[in-house]
Amino acid sequence: MGEELKISADVANLDQVLEFVETRLEAHDASMKSITQISIAVEEIYVNIAHYAYGDSTGDATIQVSFDDRVFVITFIDTGMPYDPLAKPDPDITLSVEEREIGGLGIYMVKKSMDDVIYKRDGDRNVLTLKKSID
């Protein structure tokens, strides 16, 4: 069974979220490369929840972490507006910065750096799960 952190979805709490995740990765002897990739993905997802999930109001985010052999599983849960970040098509990275649509690059980077990214709407909750084999 894993561990979880329930926290107010506020950018001011990002350091606490990263510490929660990185401490668990270090305890499982994850490589610095794995820790860095996962930390960047965690920052992207958490900041998006903090900025967009609850509109002008505030709410909580729950971050669950567990290990399945050498696969790190991290799940983000919020009760904000329904939003599937995987539904948007990937940005066309062959276009210049000026030609590209704004947004979408962060979740694209998360999808490319993780082994698996899964979204589901569970009742009134957004549930986004990332999986990454750690070296």
Side-chain angles (χ1 to χ4, degrees), residues 73-126:
V73 180
I74 180 163
T75 302
F76 297 86
I77 302 167
D78 68 75
T79 56
M81 295 175 278
Y83 179 68
D84 179 355
L86 306 179
K88 189 173 181 180
D90 289 341
D92 184 349
I93 58 171
T94 64
L95 297 175
S96 71
V97 171
E98 293 81 17
E99 295 174 305
R100 257 187 255 148
E101 283 188 41
I102 294 173
L105 201 55
I107 192 66
Y108 175 76
M109 291 180 351
V110 169
K111 287 171 19 182
K112 291 296 179 193
S113 64
M114 297 295 108
D115 298 335
D116 203 3
V117 182
I118 305 148
Y119 171 83
K120 70 178 178 180
R121 183 75 181 174
D122 182 13
D124 67 344
R125 303 179 326 153
N126 293 303

Side-chain angles (χ1 to χ4, degrees), residues 4-19:
E4 76 175 34
L5 172 68
K6 187 170 184 175
I7 196 162
S8 177
D10 186 319
V11 175
N13 293 329
L14 176 61
D15 287 345
Q16 194 175 341
V17 171
L18 289 172
E19 181 182 335

Side-chain angles (χ1 to χ4, degrees), residues 25 27 31 37 55 58 60-61 65 72 95 112 117 119 123 129 135:
L25 286 165
S31 70
Q37 288 178 323
T58 58
D60 291 331
V65 296
F72 185 65
L95 297 175
K112 291 296 179 193
V117 182
Y119 171 83
T129 301
D135 306 328

